[in-house]
Amino acid sequence: MSAPLPERLRPTTLDDYVGQEHLVGRNGVFRKFFETGNVPSFILWGPPGVGKTTLAKIVATQLDRPFFTLSAVTSGVKEVREVIESARKSRFFDQRPPFLFIDEIHRFNKSQQDSLLGAVEQGVVTLIGATTENPSFEVIPPLLSRCQVYILKAQEDDDLRKLLDRALTTDPELKARTIEVVETGALFRFAGGDARKLLNILDIIVGATEGKVTITDRYVTDCLQQNIALYDKNGEQHYDVISAFIKSVRGSDPNAAIYYLARMLAGGEEPRFIARRLVILAAEDIGLANPNALLLANACFDTVHKIGMPEARIPLAEATIYLATSPKSNTAYAAINKALALVERDTTNRPVPLHLRNAPTRLMDKAGYGKGYKYAHDYAGHFAELEFLPESLCGTKFYEPDTQNAAEAKIAERIARLWKGKY
């Protein structure tokens, strides 16, 4: 039986690699690796099917160094130490260190990551990690500080088209068939920026019939509906389902939210990924309408980290229902975005009012730093009217309370009373 199409077409050089021009293009950092031979430990962060493993293998192959691999799903501290010892023995004299590639490094717990740290610090191995999760959240700081992080992007339609053309013109099994491409819309839509998925789909639709194959949107859709288990082995379309989950919670539908939560858990989704999304949602979509939502979501995140599956499903369900049934407000989210938009385009370096500046030196005191500042707690209601924004921004309003929910209506009322209509 022949290898799957993605394996048959896996590139072995950067010239054959499709996409990620910011990394592998003419002036890309990976080209410089091959020019100098100096490769730091690094982590490749990006969605599935964008070439993380392939890029790691190309680096090792073109630099002709030993390449050890571990899967964070199946390896423990024991396996890590064994591989590090093998790497140590394989290195002679002043040779460059071998590569240690760890797929799904975000699944390693703290003790597993700690067991890597010494080998990376001592230069026993050059670590290459691959992850679909933000390394800032999932990789311990001492290890992360010793690694460069390179972000890989989902494949664009132009990249997918190149892959499709290459598959049809270079793969011996596909070249032996008569294949006509009439439409690519459905093909690329179902691939969702995932090169591996595109090639798997191509394998399915070509294998679904004998003789000539005419690729149309209708044919692709019909084939995938009949072969859904092959198209998506977990029974899940990751990004579609997480999107539906978030939008159901935001839309205050606890039943739909629980349904999509169940689909994600049944499909093997990482519980910590779900919990992290709930923390973000609590801040972004509920915010000041119910500040307790963020506390509960954060407690859920901590609990899921501590107990794992299958019990983690319970706090996840509790947090999902609580957030879905909570009043919603995105005013804090909108306020910081509005302020950032101003700051990013504002190049005038507006001076902070003198009365808000500290005066740690006599010169600053003479210059008027701190003069006229009113200590709020010395005044009735712990409020003293002052101008806090730079003079040229006086009265600018970033935060717009949503008076349709009770919590923010009270905030709006207090602001109006204190500031006498200024905001």
Side-chain angles (χ1 to χ4, degrees), residues 69-384:
T69 64
L70 283 173
S71 171
V73 177
T74 58
S75 304
V77 172
K78 177 175 174 286
E79 287 78 14
V80 173
R81 287 176 177 158
E82 287 174 352
V83 167
I84 289 172
E85 187 57 32
S86 297
R88 197 188 304 273
K89 291 177 180 176
S90 73
R91 188 179 178 189
F92 299 101
F93 304 110
D94 60 348
Q95 283 183 333
R96 304 272 184 151
F99 292 107
L100 171 57
F101 176 68
I102 301 181
D103 195 18
E104 299 191 81
I105 194 171
H106 60 276
R107 292 180 181 264
F108 262 5
N109 60 32
K110 184 179 183 299
S111 62
Q112 290 167 314
Q113 293 185 37
D114 280 336
S115 66
L116 286 169
L117 191 55
V120 174
E121 285 179 327
Q122 297 160 22
V124 175
V125 296
T126 297
L127 175 67
I128 305 178
T131 177
T132 56
E133 301 295 328
N134 188 332
S136 301
F137 295 125
E138 301 298 342
V139 178
I140 59 173
L143 190 57
L144 187 61
S145 69
R146 288 162 177 80
C147 297
Q148 296 291 323
V149 176
Y150 300 113
I151 301 173
L152 282 73
K153 305 169 186 175
Q155 302 282 13
E156 302 285 347
D157 282 359
D158 285 347
D159 299 326
L160 296 178
R161 193 175 303 279
K162 289 178 188 175
L163 285 166
L164 177 62
D165 291 343
R166 178 176 295 172
L168 296 177
T169 56
T170 65
D171 182 69
E173 294 187 27
L174 295 183
K175 283 170 66 178
R177 302 288 301 274
T178 303
I179 302 171
E180 180 187 8
V181 180
V182 176
E183 296 172 309
T184 58
L187 195 60
F188 294 167
R189 186 172 67 253
F190 280 116
D194 183 326
R196 183 170 54 244
K197 189 173 283 188
L198 172 74
L199 297 175
N200 280 330
I201 294 171
L202 187 58
D203 238 357
I204 291 168
I205 62 179
V206 170
T209 186
E210 296 180 358
K212 181 179 179 180
V213 179
T214 302
I215 298 178
T216 64
D217 291 349
R218 178 64 181 272
Y219 178 66
V220 170
T221 303
D222 288 346
C223 281
L224 294 184
Q225 286 175 346
Q226 293 168 13
N227 296 276
I228 192 67
L230 290 173
Y231 162 58
D232 190 341
K233 292 179 181 177
N234 291 325
E236 295 300 322
Q237 294 183 41
H238 172 90
Y239 293 105
D240 289 343
V241 176
I242 188 65
S243 175
F245 172 68
I246 294 299
K247 288 171 182 172
S248 297
V249 177
R250 181 183 296 139
S252 299
D253 187 337
N255 295 297
I258 282 290
Y259 164 72
Y260 289 117
L261 173 63
R263 279 185 62 175
M264 288 188 292
L265 293 175
E269 183 61 80
E270 169 60 62
R272 291 178 299 176
F273 170 78
I274 303 172
R276 187 161 53 251
R277 295 298 308 184
L278 289 174
V279 173
I280 296 167
L281 187 145
E284 180 179 337
D285 293 301
I286 295 171
L288 294 166
N290 178 9
N292 285 332
L294 184 56
L295 299 177
L296 188 136
N298 200 52
C300 172
F301 182 74
D302 289 341
T303 304
V304 167
H305 264 277
K306 290 172 184 172
I307 66 176
M309 287 292 283
E311 290 82 1
R313 75 190 190 283
I314 305 167
L316 283 171
E318 179 183 349
T320 295
I321 293 170
Y322 183 85
L323 298 187
T325 55
S326 175
K328 306 295 189 294
S329 170
N330 70 342
T331 55
Y333 172 76
I336 187 60
N337 285 351
K338 187 175 179 181
L340 282 171
L342 172 67
V343 169
E344 286 168 1
R345 70 172 187 269
D346 186 19
T347 58
T348 57
N349 194 21
R350 301 174 193 268
V352 172
L354 284 176
H355 59 270
L356 298 182
R357 303 187 199 182
N358 289 326
T361 68
R362 184 174 298 175
L363 179 63
M364 289 178 171
D365 185 55
K366 286 184 176 179
Y369 282 35
K371 282 188 171 55
Y373 173 65
K374 299 176 183 177
Y375 185 57
H377 299 296
D378 288 342
Y379 295 82
H382 304 274
F383 174 79

Side-chain angles (χ1 to χ4, degrees), residues 1-12:
M1 185 176 177
S2 65
L5 184 58
E7 282 303 313
R8 303 202 302 267
L9 288 178
R10 188 184 290 276
T12 56

